[in-house]
Coordinates of all heavy atoms in Angstrom, one line a residue:
M1 N -68.5 0.5 -76.3 CA -68.1 0.3 -75.0 C -66.7 -0.5 -74.9 O -66.5 -1.3 -75.7 CB -69.2 -0.6 -74.3 CG -69.1 -0.7 -72.8 SD -69.7 0.9 -72.2 CE -70.2 0.4 -70.6
H2 N -65.9 -0.1 -74.0 CA -64.5 -0.7 -73.9 C -64.6 -2.0 -73.2 O -65.4 -2.2 -72.3 CB -63.6 0.3 -73.2 CG -63.4 1.6 -73.9 ND1 -62.5 1.7 -75.0 CD2 -63.9 2.8 -73.7 CE1 -62.5 2.9 -75.4 NE2 -63.3 3.6 -74.7
N3 N -63.8 -2.9 -73.6 CA -63.7 -4.2 -73.0 C -62.5 -4.3 -72.0 O -62.2 -5.4 -71.6 CB -63.6 -5.3 -74.0 CG -64.9 -5.5 -74.8 OD1 -66.0 -5.2 -74.3 ND2 -64.8 -5.9 -76.1
S4 N -61.9 -3.2 -71.8 CA -60.7 -3.2 -70.9 C -61.2 -3.3 -69.4 O -62.3 -2.9 -69.1 CB -59.9 -1.9 -71.0 OG -60.7 -0.8 -70.8
P5 N -60.4 -3.9 -68.6 CA -60.8 -4.1 -67.2 C -61.0 -2.8 -66.5 O -60.3 -1.8 -66.8 CB -59.6 -4.9 -66.6 CG -58.5 -4.7 -67.5 CD -59.1 -4.4 -68.8
R6 N -61.8 -2.7 -65.5 CA -62.1 -1.5 -64.7 C -61.5 -1.8 -63.3 O -61.6 -2.9 -62.8 CB -63.5 -1.2 -64.6 CG -64.1 -0.9 -66.0 CD -65.6 -0.6 -65.9 NE -66.1 -0.4 -67.3 CZ -67.0 0.4 -67.5 NH1 -67.6 1.1 -66.6 NH2 -67.4 0.6 -68.8
F7 N -61.0 -0.7 -62.7 CA -60.4 -0.8 -61.4 C -61.1 0.2 -60.5 O -61.5 1.2 -60.9 CB -58.9 -0.5 -61.5 CG -58.1 -1.4 -62.4 CD1 -57.9 -1.1 -63.7 CD2 -57.7 -2.6 -61.9 CE1 -57.2 -2.0 -64.5 CE2 -57.0 -3.5 -62.7 CZ -56.7 -3.2 -64.0
T8 N -61.2 -0.2 -59.3 CA -61.7 0.6 -58.2 C -60.6 1.1 -57.3 O -59.8 0.3 -56.9 CB -62.8 -0.1 -57.4 OG1 -63.8 -0.6 -58.3 CG2 -63.4 0.8 -56.3
I9 N -60.6 2.4 -57.0 CA -59.7 3.0 -56.1 C -60.5 3.5 -54.9 O -61.3 4.4 -55.0 CB -58.9 4.1 -56.7 CG1 -58.1 3.6 -57.9 CG2 -57.9 4.7 -55.7 CD1 -57.3 4.7 -58.6
N10 N -60.3 2.9 -53.8 CA -61.0 3.3 -52.6 C -60.2 4.4 -51.9 O -59.1 4.1 -51.3 CB -61.2 2.1 -51.6 CG -62.1 1.1 -52.2 OD1 -63.1 1.5 -52.8 ND2 -61.9 -0.2 -52.0
R11 N -60.7 5.6 -51.9 CA -60.0 6.7 -51.3 C -61.1 7.7 -50.8 O -62.3 7.6 -51.3 CB -59.2 7.5 -52.3 CG -58.0 6.7 -52.9 CD -56.9 6.5 -51.9 NE -55.8 5.9 -52.4 CZ -55.5 4.6 -52.2 NH1 -56.3 3.8 -51.5 NH2 -54.4 4.0 -52.7
H12 N -60.7 8.6 -49.9 CA -61.6 9.7 -49.5 C -61.1 10.9 -50.3 O -60.0 11.0 -50.7 CB -61.4 9.9 -48.0 CG -61.9 8.8 -47.1 ND1 -63.3 8.6 -47.0 CD2 -61.3 7.9 -46.4 CE1 -63.5 7.6 -46.2 NE2 -62.3 7.2 -45.8
L13 N -62.0 11.8 -50.5 CA -61.8 13.1 -51.2 C -61.9 14.2 -50.2 O -62.9 14.3 -49.5 CB -62.7 13.3 -52.3 CG -62.6 14.6 -53.1 CD1 -61.3 14.6 -53.9 CD2 -63.8 14.8 -54.0
I14 N -60.8 15.0 -50.1 CA -60.9 16.2 -49.3 C -60.8 17.4 -50.2 O -59.9 17.5 -51.0 CB -59.7 16.2 -48.2 CG1 -59.9 15.1 -47.2 CG2 -59.6 17.6 -47.6 CD1 -58.8 15.0 -46.2
I15 N -61.7 18.3 -50.0 CA -61.7 19.6 -50.8 C -61.4 20.7 -49.8 O -62.2 20.9 -48.9 CB -63.0 19.8 -51.5 CG1 -63.3 18.6 -52.5 CG2 -63.0 21.1 -52.2 CD1 -64.6 18.7 -53.2
L16 N -60.4 21.5 -50.1 CA -60.0 22.6 -49.2 C -60.7 23.9 -49.8 O -60.4 24.3 -50.9 CB -58.5 22.8 -49.1 CG -57.7 21.6 -48.5 CD1 -56.3 21.9 -48.5 CD2 -58.2 21.2 -47.2
M17 N -61.5 24.5 -48.9 CA -62.2 25.7 -49.3 C -61.6 26.9 -48.5 O -61.5 26.8 -47.3 CB -63.7 25.6 -48.9 CG -64.4 24.5 -49.6 SD -64.7 24.8 -51.4 CE -65.8 26.2 -51.3
P18 N -61.1 27.9 -49.2 CA -60.5 29.0 -48.5 C -61.5 29.8 -47.7 O -62.7 29.9 -48.1 CB -59.9 29.9 -49.7 CG -60.6 29.4 -50.9 CD -61.1 28.1 -50.7
K19 N -61.0 30.3 -46.6 CA -61.9 31.2 -45.8 C -61.3 32.6 -45.9 O -60.3 32.9 -46.5 CB -61.8 30.7 -44.3 CG -62.5 29.4 -44.1 CD -62.6 29.0 -42.7 CE -63.3 27.7 -42.5 NZ -63.4 27.4 -41.0
Q20 N -62.0 33.5 -45.2 CA -61.7 35.0 -45.3 C -60.2 35.2 -45.0 O -59.6 36.1 -45.6 CB -62.6 35.8 -44.4 CG -62.4 37.3 -44.5 CD -62.7 37.8 -45.9 OE1 -63.8 37.4 -46.5 NE2 -61.9 38.7 -46.4
P21 N -59.6 34.6 -44.0 CA -58.2 34.9 -43.7 C -57.2 34.6 -44.9 O -56.2 35.3 -45.1 CB -57.8 33.9 -42.5 CG -59.1 33.7 -41.8 CD -60.1 33.7 -42.9
V22 N -57.6 33.7 -45.8 CA -56.8 33.5 -47.0 C -56.9 34.7 -47.9 O -55.9 35.1 -48.4 CB -57.2 32.2 -47.7 CG1 -56.5 32.0 -49.0 CG2 -57.0 31.0 -46.8
L23 N -58.1 35.1 -48.1 CA -58.3 36.3 -49.0 C -57.6 37.5 -48.4 O -56.9 38.3 -49.1 CB -59.8 36.6 -49.2 CG -60.1 37.8 -50.0 CD1 -59.5 37.6 -51.4 CD2 -61.6 38.0 -50.1
D24 N -57.7 37.7 -47.1 CA -57.0 38.8 -46.4 C -55.5 38.7 -46.6 O -54.8 39.7 -46.9 CB -57.3 38.8 -44.9 CG -58.8 39.1 -44.6 OD1 -59.5 39.6 -45.5 OD2 -59.2 38.8 -43.5
W25 N -54.9 37.5 -46.5 CA -53.5 37.3 -46.7 C -53.1 37.6 -48.1 O -52.1 38.3 -48.3 CB -53.2 35.8 -46.3 CG -51.7 35.5 -46.6 CD1 -50.6 35.8 -45.9 CD2 -51.3 34.8 -47.8 NE1 -49.5 35.3 -46.5 CE2 -49.9 34.7 -47.7 CE3 -51.9 34.2 -48.9 CZ2 -49.1 34.0 -48.6 CZ3 -51.1 33.6 -49.8 CH2 -49.7 33.5 -49.7
I26 N -53.9 37.2 -49.1 CA -53.5 37.5 -50.5 C -53.5 39.0 -50.7 O -52.5 39.5 -51.3 CB -54.6 36.8 -51.5 CG1 -54.4 35.3 -51.5 CG2 -54.4 37.4 -52.9 CD1 -55.6 34.6 -52.2
K27 N -54.4 39.7 -50.2 CA -54.5 41.1 -50.4 C -53.4 41.8 -49.6 O -52.9 42.9 -50.1 CB -55.8 41.7 -50.0 CG -56.9 41.2 -51.0 CD -58.3 41.8 -50.6 CE -59.3 41.4 -51.6 NZ -60.6 42.0 -51.4
R28 N -52.9 41.2 -48.6 CA -51.8 41.8 -47.8 C -50.5 41.6 -48.4 O -49.6 42.5 -48.4 CB -51.9 41.3 -46.3 CG -51.0 42.0 -45.4 CD -51.2 41.5 -43.9 NE -50.9 40.0 -43.8 CZ -51.9 39.1 -43.5 NH1 -53.1 39.5 -43.3 NH2 -51.6 37.9 -43.4
V29 N -50.2 40.5 -49.0 CA -48.9 40.2 -49.5 C -48.7 40.5 -51.0 O -47.5 40.6 -51.4 CB -48.5 38.7 -49.3 CG1 -48.5 38.4 -47.8 CG2 -49.4 37.8 -50.0
D30 N -49.8 40.7 -51.7 CA -49.6 41.0 -53.1 C -49.4 42.5 -53.3 O -50.2 43.3 -52.8 CB -50.9 40.6 -53.9 CG -50.8 40.6 -55.4 OD1 -50.0 41.4 -55.9 OD2 -51.5 39.8 -56.0
P31 N -48.3 42.9 -54.0 CA -48.1 44.3 -54.2 C -49.2 45.0 -55.0 O -49.4 46.2 -54.8 CB -46.7 44.4 -54.9 CG -46.4 43.0 -55.4 CD -47.3 42.1 -54.6
N32 N -49.8 44.3 -55.9 CA -51.0 44.8 -56.6 C -52.2 43.9 -56.4 O -52.5 43.0 -57.2 CB -50.7 44.8 -58.1 CG -49.5 45.7 -58.4 OD1 -49.5 46.9 -58.0 ND2 -48.5 45.2 -59.1
P33 N -52.8 44.0 -55.2 CA -53.8 43.1 -54.9 C -55.0 43.1 -55.9 O -55.4 44.1 -56.3 CB -54.3 43.5 -53.5 CG -53.8 44.9 -53.3 CD -52.6 45.1 -54.2
P34 N -55.4 41.9 -56.2 CA -56.5 41.8 -57.2 C -57.8 42.2 -56.5 O -58.0 42.1 -55.3 CB -56.6 40.3 -57.6 CG -56.0 39.6 -56.4 CD -55.0 40.6 -55.8
N35 N -58.8 42.6 -57.3 CA -60.1 42.9 -56.8 C -60.9 41.6 -56.8 O -61.6 41.2 -57.7 CB -60.8 43.9 -57.7 CG -62.1 44.4 -57.1 OD1 -62.4 44.2 -55.9 ND2 -62.9 45.0 -57.9
L36 N -60.7 40.8 -55.7 CA -61.1 39.5 -55.6 C -62.1 39.3 -54.4 O -61.8 39.9 -53.4 CB -59.9 38.6 -55.4 CG -60.0 37.1 -55.5 CD1 -60.5 36.6 -56.9 CD2 -58.7 36.4 -55.2
T37 N -63.1 38.5 -54.6 CA -64.0 38.3 -53.5 C -63.8 36.8 -53.1 O -63.2 36.0 -53.8 CB -65.5 38.4 -53.9 OG1 -65.8 37.4 -54.9 CG2 -65.8 39.8 -54.5
L38 N -64.3 36.5 -51.9 CA -64.2 35.2 -51.4 C -64.9 34.2 -52.3 O -64.4 33.1 -52.5 CB -64.7 35.1 -49.9 CG -64.5 33.8 -49.2 CD1 -63.0 33.5 -49.1 CD2 -65.0 33.9 -47.8
D39 N -66.1 34.5 -52.8 CA -66.8 33.6 -53.7 C -66.0 33.4 -55.0 O -65.9 32.2 -55.5 CB -68.1 34.2 -54.1 CG -69.1 34.2 -53.0 OD1 -69.0 33.3 -52.1 OD2 -70.1 35.0 -53.0
Q40 N -65.3 34.4 -55.5 CA -64.4 34.1 -56.7 C -63.3 33.2 -56.3 O -62.9 32.4 -57.1 CB -63.9 35.5 -57.2 CG -65.0 36.3 -57.8 CD -64.5 37.7 -58.1 OE1 -63.7 38.3 -57.4 NE2 -65.0 38.4 -59.2
L41 N -62.7 33.4 -55.2 CA -61.6 32.6 -54.7 C -62.0 31.2 -54.6 O -61.2 30.3 -54.8 CB -61.0 33.2 -53.4 CG -59.7 32.6 -52.9 CD1 -58.6 32.7 -53.9 CD2 -59.4 33.2 -51.6
R42 N -63.2 30.9 -54.2 CA -63.7 29.6 -54.0 C -64.1 28.9 -55.3 O -64.5 27.7 -55.2 CB -64.9 29.6 -53.0 CG -64.4 29.9 -51.6 CD -65.6 29.9 -50.7 NE -65.1 30.0 -49.3 CZ -66.0 30.1 -48.3 NH1 -67.3 30.1 -48.5 NH2 -65.5 30.2 -47.1
L43 N -64.0 29.5 -56.4 CA -64.4 28.9 -57.7 C -63.5 27.7 -58.0 O -63.9 26.8 -58.7 CB -64.5 29.9 -58.8 CG -65.7 30.9 -58.7 CD1 -65.6 31.9 -59.8 CD2 -67.0 30.1 -58.8
E44 N -62.2 27.8 -57.6 CA -61.2 26.8 -57.9 C -60.7 26.2 -56.6 O -59.8 26.8 -56.0 CB -60.1 27.4 -58.8 CG -60.6 27.8 -60.2 CD -59.5 28.3 -61.0 OE1 -58.3 27.9 -60.8 OE2 -59.7 29.2 -61.9
Q45 N -61.2 25.1 -56.2 CA -60.7 24.5 -55.0 C -59.6 23.5 -55.3 O -59.5 23.0 -56.4 CB -61.9 23.8 -54.3 CG -63.1 24.6 -53.9 CD -64.1 24.5 -55.0 OE1 -64.2 23.6 -55.8 NE2 -65.0 25.5 -55.0
N46 N -58.9 23.1 -54.2 CA -58.0 22.1 -54.3 C -58.6 20.8 -53.7 O -59.2 20.8 -52.7 CB -56.7 22.4 -53.5 CG -55.9 23.5 -54.1 OD1 -55.6 23.5 -55.2 ND2 -55.6 24.5 -53.3
A47 N -58.5 19.7 -54.5 CA -59.0 18.4 -54.0 C -57.9 17.4 -53.9 O -57.0 17.4 -54.7 CB -60.1 17.9 -55.0
F48 N -58.0 16.6 -52.9 CA -56.9 15.6 -52.6 C -57.6 14.3 -52.3 O -58.5 14.2 -51.5 CB -56.1 16.0 -51.4 CG -55.4 17.3 -51.5 CD1 -56.1 18.5 -51.2 CD2 -54.2 17.4 -52.1 CE1 -55.4 19.7 -51.3 CE2 -53.5 18.6 -52.3 CZ -54.2 19.8 -51.9
L49 N -57.1 13.2 -53.0 CA -57.5 11.9 -52.6 C -56.6 11.4 -51.6 O -55.3 11.4 -51.7 CB -57.4 11.0 -53.9 CG -58.4 11.2 -55.0 CD1 -58.1 10.3 -56.2 CD2 -59.8 11.0 -54.5
I50 N -57.2 10.9 -50.5 CA -56.4 10.4 -49.4 C -56.7 8.9 -49.0 O -57.7 8.4 -49.5 CB -56.5 11.3 -48.1 CG1 -57.9 11.3 -47.6 CG2 -56.0 12.7 -48.4 CD1 -58.1 12.0 -46.3
S51 N -56.0 8.3 -48.2 CA -56.2 6.9 -47.8 C -57.6 6.6 -47.4 O -58.2 7.5 -46.7 CB -55.2 6.6 -46.8 OG -55.4 5.3 -46.3
D52 N -58.1 5.4 -47.7 CA -59.4 5.1 -47.2 C -59.4 4.5 -45.8 O -60.5 4.0 -45.4 CB -60.0 4.1 -48.2 CG -59.3 2.8 -48.3 OD1 -58.1 2.7 -47.8 OD2 -59.9 1.8 -48.7
D53 N -58.3 4.5 -45.1 CA -58.3 3.9 -43.8 C -58.8 4.9 -42.7 O -58.7 4.6 -41.5 CB -57.0 3.3 -43.4 CG -55.8 4.4 -43.4 OD1 -56.1 5.5 -43.8 OD2 -54.7 4.0 -43.1
L54 N -59.2 6.1 -43.1 CA -59.7 7.1 -42.1 C -61.2 6.7 -41.8 O -61.9 6.1 -42.6 CB -59.7 8.5 -42.7 CG -58.3 9.0 -43.1 CD1 -58.5 10.4 -43.8 CD2 -57.4 9.0 -41.9
D55 N -61.6 7.0 -40.5 CA -62.9 6.6 -40.1 C -63.7 7.9 -39.8 O -63.8 8.3 -38.7 CB -62.8 5.8 -38.8 CG -64.1 5.2 -38.4 OD1 -65.0 5.0 -39.2 OD2 -64.2 4.9 -37.2
G56 N -64.3 8.5 -40.8 CA -65.2 9.6 -40.7 C -64.6 10.9 -40.8 O -63.4 11.1 -41.1
Q57 N -65.4 11.9 -40.6 CA -65.0 13.3 -40.8 C -63.9 13.8 -39.8 O -63.0 14.5 -40.2 CB -66.2 14.3 -40.7 CG -65.9 15.7 -41.0 CD -67.1 16.6 -41.0 OE1 -68.2 16.1 -41.1 NE2 -66.9 17.9 -40.9
Q58 N -64.0 13.3 -38.6 CA -63.0 13.8 -37.6 C -61.6 13.3 -37.9 O -60.7 14.0 -37.8 CB -63.4 13.3 -36.2 CG -64.6 14.0 -35.6 CD -65.0 13.5 -34.2 OE1 -64.7 12.4 -33.9 NE2 -65.6 14.3 -33.4
D59 N -61.5 12.1 -38.4 CA -60.2 11.6 -38.8 C -59.7 12.3 -40.0 O -58.5 12.6 -40.1 CB -60.3 10.1 -39.2 CG -60.3 9.2 -38.0 OD1 -60.1 9.7 -36.8 OD2 -60.4 8.0 -38.1
A60 N -60.6 12.7 -41.0 CA -60.2 13.5 -42.1 C -59.7 14.9 -41.7 O -58.7 15.3 -42.2 CB -61.4 13.6 -43.1
E61 N -60.4 15.5 -40.8 CA -60.0 16.8 -40.3 C -58.6 16.7 -39.6 O -57.8 17.6 -39.8 CB -61.0 17.4 -39.4 CG -62.3 17.8 -40.1 CD -63.4 18.3 -39.2 OE1 -63.2 18.3 -37.9 OE2 -64.5 18.6 -39.7
K62 N -58.4 15.7 -38.8 CA -57.1 15.5 -38.2 C -56.0 15.3 -39.2 O -54.9 15.8 -39.1 CB -57.1 14.3 -37.2 CG -57.9 14.5 -36.0 CD -58.0 13.2 -35.1 CE -58.9 13.4 -34.0 NZ -59.0 12.2 -33.2
W63 N -56.3 14.6 -40.3 CA -55.4 14.3 -41.4 C -54.9 15.7 -42.0 O -53.7 15.9 -42.2 CB -56.0 13.4 -42.4 CG -55.1 13.0 -43.5 CD1 -54.3 11.9 -43.6 CD2 -54.8 13.7 -44.8 NE1 -53.6 11.9 -44.7 CE2 -53.9 13.0 -45.5 CE3 -55.3 14.9 -45.3 CZ2 -53.4 13.4 -46.7 CZ3 -54.8 15.3 -46.5 CH2 -53.8 14.5 -47.2
V64 N -55.9 16.6 -42.2 CA -55.6 17.9 -42.8 C -54.8 18.7 -41.8 O -53.8 19.3 -42.1 CB -56.8 18.6 -43.2 CG1 -56.5 20.1 -43.6 CG2 -57.5 17.9 -44.4
Q65 N -55.2 18.7 -40.5 CA -54.5 19.5 -39.5 C -53.0 19.1 -39.3 O -52.2 19.9 -39.1 CB -55.2 19.4 -38.2 CG -56.5 20.1 -38.2 CD -57.4 19.8 -36.9 OE1 -57.0 19.0 -36.1 NE2 -58.5 20.5 -36.9
R66 N -52.7 17.8 -39.5 CA -51.4 17.3 -39.4 C -50.5 17.8 -40.6 O -49.3 17.8 -40.5 CB -51.3 15.8 -39.3 CG -51.7 15.3 -37.9 CD -51.4 13.8 -37.7 NE -51.9 13.0 -38.8 CZ -53.1 12.3 -38.7 NH1 -53.8 12.4 -37.7 NH2 -53.5 11.6 -39.7
R67 N -51.2 18.1 -41.7 CA -50.4 18.4 -42.9 C -50.7 19.8 -43.5 O -50.4 20.1 -44.6 CB -50.8 17.4 -44.0 CG -50.4 16.0 -43.7 CD -51.1 15.0 -44.5 NE -50.6 13.6 -44.2 CZ -51.1 12.9 -43.2 NH1 -51.9 13.3 -42.3 NH2 -50.6 11.7 -43.0
W68 N -51.3 20.7 -42.7 CA -51.8 22.0 -43.2 C -50.7 22.8 -43.8 O -50.9 23.5 -44.7 CB -52.5 22.8 -42.1 CG -51.7 23.2 -41.0 CD1 -51.4 22.6 -39.8 CD2 -50.9 24.5 -40.9 NE1 -50.6 23.3 -39.0 CE2 -50.3 24.5 -39.7 CE3 -50.8 25.6 -41.8 CZ2 -49.5 25.5 -39.3 CZ3 -50.0 26.6 -41.4 CH2 -49.3 26.6 -40.2
Q69 N -49.5 22.7 -43.2 CA -48.4 23.5 -43.8 C -48.0 23.1 -45.2 O -47.6 24.0 -46.0 CB -47.1 23.4 -42.9 CG -47.3 24.2 -41.6 CD -46.1 24.1 -40.7 OE1 -45.4 23.1 -40.7 NE2 -45.9 25.1 -39.9
M70 N -48.2 21.9 -45.5 CA -48.0 21.4 -46.9 C -48.9 22.1 -47.9 O -48.6 22.3 -49.0 CB -48.1 19.9 -46.9 CG -47.9 19.3 -48.3 SD -48.0 17.5 -48.3 CE -49.7 17.2 -47.8
F71 N -50.1 22.3 -47.5 CA -51.1 22.9 -48.3 C -50.9 24.4 -48.5 O -51.4 25.0 -49.4 CB -52.6 22.6 -47.9 CG -52.8 21.1 -47.8 CD1 -53.0 20.5 -46.6 CD2 -52.8 20.4 -48.9 CE1 -53.3 19.2 -46.5 CE2 -53.1 19.0 -48.9 CZ -53.3 18.4 -47.7

């Protein structure tokens, strides 16, 4: 067991799950579209640690909506 100090980081975790429009977009813009299903696309999600000053799911959804273009 390590004797080094442990630190706590208080953050919320947001995981972005692609929906059907993302898969449709990939197939539309890729010159050689992959034979990909939505379930396969969802195997690798993006996760983001965000500030802990949000108050519940509605605040988290607003946070994503304000920054959706970045994602």
Side-chain angles (χ1 to χ4, degrees):
M1 195 75 154
H2 295 282
N3 291 330
S4 58
R6 296 179 185 212
F7 299 95
T8 301
I9 299 175
N10 292 323
R11 298 286 183 261
H12 291 288
L13 176 69
I14 292 179
I15 299 174
L16 298 180
M17 299 289 292
K19 292 185 176 182
Q20 187 63 44
V22 173
L23 181 58
D24 296 341
W25 174 78
I26 291 170
K27 290 182 176 184
R28 189 174 57 248
V29 299
D30 192 330
N32 299 309
N35 187 15
L36 188 64
T37 66
L38 190 55
D39 288 335
Q40 291 170 326
L41 187 59
R42 288 182 172 176
L43 289 176
E44 296 183 27
Q45 302 94 19
N46 291 311
F48 300 90
L49 289 175
I50 62 172
S51 174
D52 65 342
D53 62 355
L54 300 177
D55 187 26
Q57 183 175 343
Q58 287 181 336
D59 280 355
E61 288 175 4
K62 288 178 187 176
W63 186 92
V64 172
Q65 289 171 357
R66 285 192 305 267
R67 293 162 178 84
W68 68 269
Q69 289 180 329
M70 178 176 65
F71 300 115

